[in-house]
Amino acid sequence: MQPAVLCLSCLVIIVTIIQYVSAEVMTFDVPRPMAECFWRLKKKTNTKRTPAVAIQSFCENQYNWHNHKLLNVNRGANPNTIQYINGLCKNTKEEIKHFRMRRKKRQAGGGPPKKLRVRKEIRMMSDKEFQLYVEAVNSAKRNTSISPNKYDALAEFHTGMTSVSAHGGCNFHGWHRMYILMYENALREEGPEFADVTVPYWDSTMDDRMEDPELSVLFSDRFLGSCQGEAKGGMMKEGWTSSTGAIVRNCKTDGPLMNMEMIKNVTRHNRFEKICGEDSAIDDDLEFHHNGVHRWIDGQMAMLVSSVYDPIFWLHHAFIDYIWEKFRDNQKRGKVDPETDYPVNPVTMGAHELHLPDARMGFSELSVIDGLSEMFTTEWYKYAPSPTCTWKKQDCGSKYLKCVEDTKSKDRKKNDYVCVGRTLAEVIAYEEEMNRPTPVPCIPDHVTHPPIIPGPHNHTTPIILPPKVIQPVQNTFCMNGKSDTAQWVYVPVKIILKRPPDYTNYGSYPVHRGKIEKAAGDIYSPKAYSNIYRHLRKADSPAKYDHCIEPDTPTNTIYVKSVGLNYEGVYKEYAIMDKRLAITVATAYLAVRKPMGIHDTSVSMFHAQDSCGRVCKPICKVPGTEIFRPCSGAIKITGNRPLQFGNSFGDAVLDVWDFDSDKDCPQLTTNSIIVSFYCDYSTDWIWPSVEPIKKTNKHVTVQPPPEKTTVMAGCSLGYGCDVAKPCGELRTCQNGAVVECLKSCHVYAQCFNNRYMLYKCRRGERYLRGQGCVSSRENPCDYKTSGLNRWNRNRGNGRNKRNNRPPAGR
């Protein structure tokens, strides 16, 4: 039996038993949309290729984004903010509409090209440029002309239904491109001294190459402030407050930074459908990769509804936009028009109609397809290249960067060099060296490799990194837009850790007849004992992040997290485990929304992971027994009595430890532990995965084609979809109405928001009037001659120019 099937089967058994047991912490099935997301990712990857926590976090975020209306929150920009944002975007659509005409005139000698603002990597800015940017951001933070202040008002625009249309599909790229430009323009309005301010980008690949990215000079008073606990210093000054509470960060507790392999996987393609949407591979999906940096920073950055309140958001997304522009450059080299190349299946999960090219983007009158305009990087801004160096020229152009030999790249060549972020200590040492005269060394004639010369490019002073310390996790305690510990209650969880497969030797050995025996392994190794090894000998190799907090230490940090499913909130904590032992146990405590009364319920997703991104299997107690079985990790909590949670952390501890029986010897009780996690480092697919329900159109109004018609008398909707109605009759429609494409058996147009949008059935399906997408086995569809595929074949080489445009409503 497959793991996912087993998991679902166990859930059925558990839920059935729960009906007859009075329990206040109960197992719960994951929502179907989330299970469908897991099914889609299961088709694209596995836990040997992709760190499991990235898979789990992706589907949790996708579900919460699209479940936003059901959450008990009133989020979204207020009318004054929307009016202000629409003002920033005023005339943008008209400018984009006439952009090609203006560009042709300029190319014909109609005038000099417009001077573009230049966005630089943050460490390539001069001190004056960066300080000006910091002053502009803090000016917007103080500006109360828009409630509560301009910066937070812009951040709030990233919440509500706007955020749903901006994530989980191909509108992600254009939406955030427009969002950054709007933010940049808002900063420039703060005063004449800020007229030339630009948003810098953060190339996190240069920090990913560091031994400990958390020690990057970026996370100091020189730049972005502290990376642990409440963010202070640098541009954060004495700390920022927001509607989500004080801005906090818990760097490197989760997620990877961007690396060059991710970027190469994206920029090697020249079709948009390869890097976003349903048909993209997980390793090539730019939005999927971008999620890791949000989790690496953690705190507000880890949650969609609060990420913009941390100013790191803009720097990270400017880098994602920079990568997208490099991809678009590759499109142009491949003779693909980046303004019209838009996927037919543009979403990863749900909200298909919000990501269609003719759908409203979310800014004024702009459409999704407007986000693909070349006008952004031809008329408004461009990116300065990310710094590079070579073995001949070991200069990255910034005192905050150093040039080192590339030892990480899988396809590196001999003598490849890359720029890497410096620590604050390295920067200080560099500055000290720059302030004293540097002798010029005598270079023998036979030396061909450039010497390492102390001074502007490198320094020879050894930098001793501090020992790695596991930092505390500072939670925001933000729930439904309000930060308060009193909203939360605590649930104990048990963690069972199997000795990690990559921890090979503790270094303490058995002694036999006075001799130390190393051949059998250390005294705690499962391999040394056949009766243990037969149970624990399975040693898979799940994918993991490059940076782990303590790969060589005898302890392991297991992070546990609760993610609200019927509320908006996340809580994270960790347990320190002894990984020397064959198997060990610890207890941690997770906070969830406090049920308000006996009829109220709180539903959360629990999960556990190590610092390398490897997840643990959730196992839940079968009611009335002490037996634990695999479960989904979703938990339902009610306010019924007797309570099985603690109203405070102290209460939860007393639920696990009984001090009343004997104050000198507390007794361990397990009655309140309903959920445990088994960290066995397997590569099993542990999530319930359900195939999405095929949508049909049985309950919508169908527009039957006339008995006799010709394409010439109809209207072309693009992508080879010609319908039997004049274009004038398609300008308005009744929501749900469907018209068929005459020569495209697996494409149809359906009315959404009074406009027709194109939809495409999956491979192996075709569209049938009145039934929707059905299997093409009984009703064959000739995909080779279908109008959609003719358009796909012709759109990149200049043929079929009449239809060389994305699907659009009429």
Side-chain angles (χ1 to χ4, degrees):
M1 183 177 291
Q2 294 295 320
V5 177
L6 175 62
C7 186
L8 284 172
S9 301
C10 294
L11 280 173
V12 173
I13 296 172
I14 293 172
V15 174
T16 302
I17 297 175
I18 286 175
Q19 298 180 59
Y20 306 99
V21 179
S22 177
E24 312 314 316
V25 179
M26 300 173 282
T27 55
F28 201 72
D29 205 352
V30 298
R32 186 179 181 93
M34 189 183 295
E36 291 178 355
C37 178
F38 287 132
W39 182 88
R40 291 188 179 98
L41 289 195
K42 191 174 182 180
K43 293 287 186 180
K44 292 187 174 187
T45 189
N46 56 61
T47 57
K48 289 184 178 181
R49 286 177 48 200
T50 305
V53 71
I55 297 171
Q56 180 152 308
S57 298
F58 181 81
C59 287
E60 286 174 348
N61 286 337
Q62 292 286 333
Y63 172 75
N64 282 328
W65 293 342
H66 296 288
N67 193 44
H68 217 283
K69 277 189 172 181
L70 301 179
L71 299 179
N72 184 28
V73 287
N74 295 312
R75 303 299 296 273
N78 61 47
N80 291 335
T81 299
I82 295 174
Q83 183 179 2
Y84 171 69
I85 289 172
N86 287 339
L88 289 174
C89 306
K90 187 178 180 181
N91 300 326
T92 301
K93 187 173 181 66
E94 199 66 24
E95 290 178 10
I96 292 175
K97 180 179 179 181
H98 297 291
F99 165 66
R100 291 196 176 207
M101 183 183 301
R102 295 200 306 274
R103 183 167 60 172
K104 288 179 180 179
K105 288 182 179 180
R106 187 168 60 244
Q107 290 171 346
K114 188 175 181 180
K115 183 180 178 181
L116 304 180
R117 60 187 82 171
V118 180
R119 295 176 181 171
K120 302 177 182 178
E121 208 283 332
I122 184 171
R123 285 159 287 204
M124 300 301 289
M125 302 176 82
S126 67
D127 291 341
K128 182 179 180 180
E129 287 174 327
F130 178 68
Q131 286 306 315
L132 192 66
Y133 173 72
V134 170
E135 291 171 13
V137 174
N138 279 277
S139 176
K141 185 74 174 174
R142 296 188 300 268
N143 186 341
T144 57
S145 62
I146 303 174
S147 180
N149 61 73
K150 182 188 282 190
Y151 184 94
D152 285 12
L154 295 174
E156 199 70 12
F157 191 72
H158 196 252
T159 65
M161 284 307 296
T162 300
S163 65
V164 178
S165 66
H167 298 87
C170 296
N171 188 34
F172 165 83
H173 306 77
W175 192 96
H176 284 86
R177 170 163 284 195
M178 188 63 207
Y179 193 36
I180 298 169
L181 181 65
M182 179 199 69
Y183 166 71
E184 194 171 65
N185 290 339
L187 295 182
R188 291 182 165 212
E189 288 184 346
E190 283 301 292
E193 67 272 30
F194 304 124
D196 295 324
V197 161
T198 56
V199 177
Y201 66 90
W202 170 33
D203 183 347
S204 56
T205 67
M206 295 192 292
D207 302 282
D208 178 69
R209 299 187 187 111
M210 297 177 65
E211 183 177 343
D212 190 348
E214 183 193 357
L215 299 179
S216 170
V217 69
L218 289 180
F219 303 113
S220 71
D221 288 340
R222 300 280 185 108
F223 286 100
L224 306 177
S226 56
C227 206
Q228 294 293 341
E230 184 177 1
K232 290 185 176 183
M235 73 181 304
M236 304 302 292
K237 299 185 179 298
E238 296 303 315
W240 279 18
T241 59
S242 71
S243 63
T244 62
I247 305 302
V248 302
R249 299 167 183 158
N250 301 295
C251 291
K252 76 178 183 181
T253 59
D254 187 13
L257 296 174
M258 298 293 292
N259 60 50
M260 290 307 300
E261 184 178 359
M262 297 175 187
I263 295 175
K264 288 176 182 177
N265 285 344
V266 172
T267 57
R268 65 193 170 112
H269 295 293
N270 58 22
R271 291 292 185 186
F272 202 16
E273 64 187 5
K274 294 294 185 180
I275 69 166
C276 71
E278 182 178 339
D279 301 323
S280 64
I282 201 73
D283 293 335
D284 306 333
D285 192 308
L286 182 55
E287 183 181 3
F288 183 86
H289 289 315
H290 119 282
N291 294 338
V293 179
H294 279 273
R295 301 198 312 276
W296 192 90
I297 296 294
D298 201 56
Q300 274 86 352
M301 268 286 282
M303 295 181 62
L304 169 73
V305 295
S306 61
S307 59
V308 193
Y309 289 101
D310 189 328
I312 290 180
F313 171 93
W314 303 104
L315 280 64
H316 170 49
H317 271 273
F319 183 52
I320 298 302
D321 191 56
Y322 169 79
I323 296 170
W324 187 38
E325 189 59 25
K326 289 173 70 71
F327 161 80
R328 287 165 64 88
D329 288 341
N330 197 45
Q331 285 188 297
K332 287 177 274 191
R333 286 190 292 270
K335 308 300 181 184
V336 177
D337 186 354
E339 291 190 318
T340 61
D341 181 49
Y342 196 81
V344 182
N345 296 322
V347 296
T348 308
M349 175 184 173
H352 179 94
E353 53 282 338
L354 297 179
H355 287 266
L356 291 172
D358 206 35
R360 290 288 177 86
M361 179 192 287
F363 298 96
S364 188
E365 298 296 319
L366 292 172
S367 299
V368 169
I369 198 65
D370 293 328
L372 274 63
S373 173
E374 283 282 271
M375 187 171 185
F376 287 90
T377 53
T378 304
E379 295 284 305
W380 291 318
Y381 67 88
K382 64 179 180 180
Y383 286 102
S386 185
T388 58
C389 63
T390 65
W391 72 281
K392 289 184 178 181
K393 186 181 179 183
Q394 297 184 30
D395 183 3
C396 294
S398 170
K399 65 182 179 181
Y400 301 113
L401 300 170
K402 61 184 178 181
C403 183
V404 302
E405 187 172 3
D406 185 7
T407 59
K408 279 192 171 185
S409 178
K410 293 181 179 179
D411 56 352
R412 74 184 186 93
K413 300 176 183 178
K414 186 178 180 181
N415 293 334
D416 272 358
Y417 280 73
V418 291
C419 293
V420 175
R422 277 180 170 151
T423 66
L424 179 60
E426 288 176 319
V427 172
I428 293 173
Y430 164 87
E431 291 172 335
E432 291 175 350
E433 286 187 353
M434 287 292 291
N435 290 330
R436 59 174 177 259
T438 303
V440 179
C442 180
I443 306 173
D445 293 337
H446 67 276
V447 175
T448 58
H449 192 284
I452 296 178
I453 304 174
H457 312 323
N458 299 280
H459 64 78
T460 56
T461 305
I463 299 298
I464 301 175
L465 295 178
K468 293 182 179 180
V469 178
I470 304 172
Q471 300 285 353
V473 173
Q474 175 61 59
N475 285 285
T476 64
F477 289 99
C478 182
M479 181 190 299
N480 297 345
K482 179 182 178 182
S483 296
D484 194 332
T485 307
Q487 302 175 102
W488 301 78
V489 295
Y490 290 81
V491 178
V493 295
K494 183 169 65 176
I495 304 169
I496 307 166
L497 176 69
K498 170 187 167 182
R499 179 163 162 158
D502 53 0
Y503 187 75
T504 57
N505 200 345
Y506 170 51
S508 178
Y509 305 97
V511 176
H512 183 63
R513 295 181 180 179
K515 293 184 178 181
I516 297 178
E517 300 285 350
K518 295 185 178 181
D522 65 69
I523 59 173
Y524 298 129
S525 174
K527 293 182 179 180
Y529 310 97
S530 59
N531 56 344
I532 294 179
Y533 190 57
R534 66 190 179 92
H535 296 292
L536 303 178
R537 61 186 174 187
K538 184 179 180 182
D540 291 338
S541 297
K544 60 181 181 179
Y545 300 140
D546 291 337
H547 289 284
C548 298
I549 293 179
E550 59 284 322
D552 302 319
T553 61
T555 60
N556 205 0
T557 306
I558 301 297
Y559 292 89
V560 290
K561 181 191 285 188
S562 68
V563 179
L565 296 183
N566 71 339
Y567 63 92
E568 182 186 275
V570 173
Y571 185 88
K572 179 187 282 187
E573 191 48 271
Y574 65 78
I576 299 176
M577 313 285 288
D578 187 346
K579 69 181 182 184
R580 301 170 306 158
L581 306 182
I583 194 163
T584 187
V585 178
T587 304
Y589 300 85
L590 280 175
V592 298
R593 185 181 74 86
K594 182 178 182 179
M596 306 303 291
I598 61 175
H599 300 296
D600 187 25
T601 60
S602 176
V603 184
S604 310
M605 190 77 175
F606 284 10
H607 63 79
Q609 69 191 68
D610 70 358
S611 61
C612 300
R614 299 171 292 196
V615 301
C616 309
K617 295 178 180 177
I619 52 177
C620 301
K621 181 185 288 187
V622 177
T625 74
E626 293 299 317
I627 299 173
F628 283 79
R629 291 284 185 264
C631 61
S632 68
I635 303 301
K636 177 181 178 182
I637 301 172
T638 70
N640 293 336
R641 294 186 179 276
L643 300 179
Q644 289 186 301
F645 55 80
N647 283 312
S648 67
F649 172 75
D651 291 341
V653 171
L654 293 178
D655 286 341
V656 176
W657 294 97
D658 178 11
F659 287 88
D660 294 330
S661 300
D662 189 338
K663 64 179 182 179
D664 296 322
C665 184
Q667 304 296 306
L668 175 66
T669 62
T670 59
N671 293 334
S672 60
I673 297 180
I674 307 299
V675 183
S676 296
F677 292 96
Y678 180 34
C679 310
D680 64 346
Y681 300 99
S682 71
T683 56
D684 296 337
W685 190 269
I686 66 173
W687 306 281
S689 305
V690 179
E691 184 174 1
I693 298 174
K694 292 183 174 63
K695 295 182 179 180
T696 65
N697 293 297
K698 293 182 179 179
H699 303 292
V700 300
T701 304
V702 177
Q703 309 239 0
E707 295 181 1
K708 294 182 180 181
T709 186
T710 62
V711 175
M712 296 300 295
C715 182
S716 173
L717 298 183
Y719 279 94
C721 178
D722 299 317
V723 299
K725 283 182 172 290
C727 292
E729 294 184 16
L730 300 178
R731 289 173 183 166
T732 59
C733 58
Q734 181 181 357
N735 285 343
V738 176
V739 291
E740 296 180 86
C741 302
L742 298 177
K743 295 184 178 181
S744 298
C745 52
H746 61 317
V747 184
Y748 62 98
Q750 184 170 348
C751 185
F752 176 77
N753 281 351
N754 300 315
R755 292 185 296 173
Y756 278 104
M757 302 289 186
L758 286 187
Y759 290 79
K760 174 190 171 187
C761 297
R762 291 188 174 86
R763 190 75 177 176
E765 297 179 344
R766 66 160 299 153
Y767 176 78
L768 281 185
R769 181 159 54 99
Q771 299 183 45
C773 294
V774 299
S775 172
S776 60
R777 291 181 180 178
E778 295 79 14
N779 305 278
C781 178
D782 188 354
Y783 298 101
K784 293 182 180 180
T785 60
S786 176
L788 179 71
N789 285 281
R790 289 199 308 275
W791 191 89
N792 284 339
R793 291 194 301 271
N794 296 337
R795 60 180 172 170
N797 55 21
R799 298 195 303 268
N800 197 18
K801 291 183 179 179
R802 176 174 174 267
N803 284 333
N804 191 16
R805 61 179 182 270
R810 289 292 190 270

